[in-house]
Amino acid sequence: MRIDAINKVNQLYQATKPKKAKETGSANIQEKYEVSKSGKDYQTAKTAIKASPDIREDKVSRIKDALATGTYNVSAQEIADKMVSRYFDSIL
């Protein structure tokens, strides 16, 4: 190991005194912030999701009625298609 490398490492661990901030003559400085367009879109989407219900009662009631009357049928082809599409979505 080179000695000059040790000196540089030691400099990293040495405590330094904080520097005094320079005072400027203008005390009327105002800070501003802006939210980006993608941030605004995110806020809008988050608000919309909070406003929507967790359970779609209309869809649940239709399926319950169909199950109760025995008219709820799902084809094996639809199940297989969903399984295959979810498999390929998960590996991509």
Side-chain angles (χ1 to χ4, degrees):
M1 176 181 264
R2 298 186 335 221
I3 294 175
D4 60 343
I6 292 173
N7 289 336
K8 289 181 182 180
V9 171
N10 285 337
Q11 289 174 356
L12 292 173
Y13 292 104
Q14 292 177 350
T16 58
K17 293 182 182 179
K19 297 178 181 179
K20 291 184 179 179
K22 295 181 182 180
E23 292 185 23
T24 58
S26 62
N28 293 333
I29 297 175
Q30 294 180 355
E31 293 184 15
K32 294 182 182 180
Y33 75 94
E34 278 189 37
V35 179
S36 66
K37 183 177 179 343
S38 61
K40 289 177 185 176
D41 293 342
Y42 178 76
Q43 287 175 340
T44 304
K46 192 173 178 181
T47 305
I49 289 171
K50 281 185 180 180
S52 66
D54 290 339
I55 300 172
R56 294 172 51 189
E57 295 294 334
D58 58 333
K59 191 170 187 175
V60 171
S61 64
R62 278 197 326 260
I63 292 173
K64 280 184 179 180
D65 292 341
L67 285 171
T69 59
T71 59
Y72 185 75
N73 293 321
V74 179
S75 72
Q77 182 65 36
E78 289 178 12
I79 295 171
D81 289 342
K82 287 279 185 179
M83 290 174 63
V84 170
S85 68
R86 286 193 181 190
Y87 172 76
F88 285 116
D89 289 343
S90 67
I91 62 171
L92 296 177

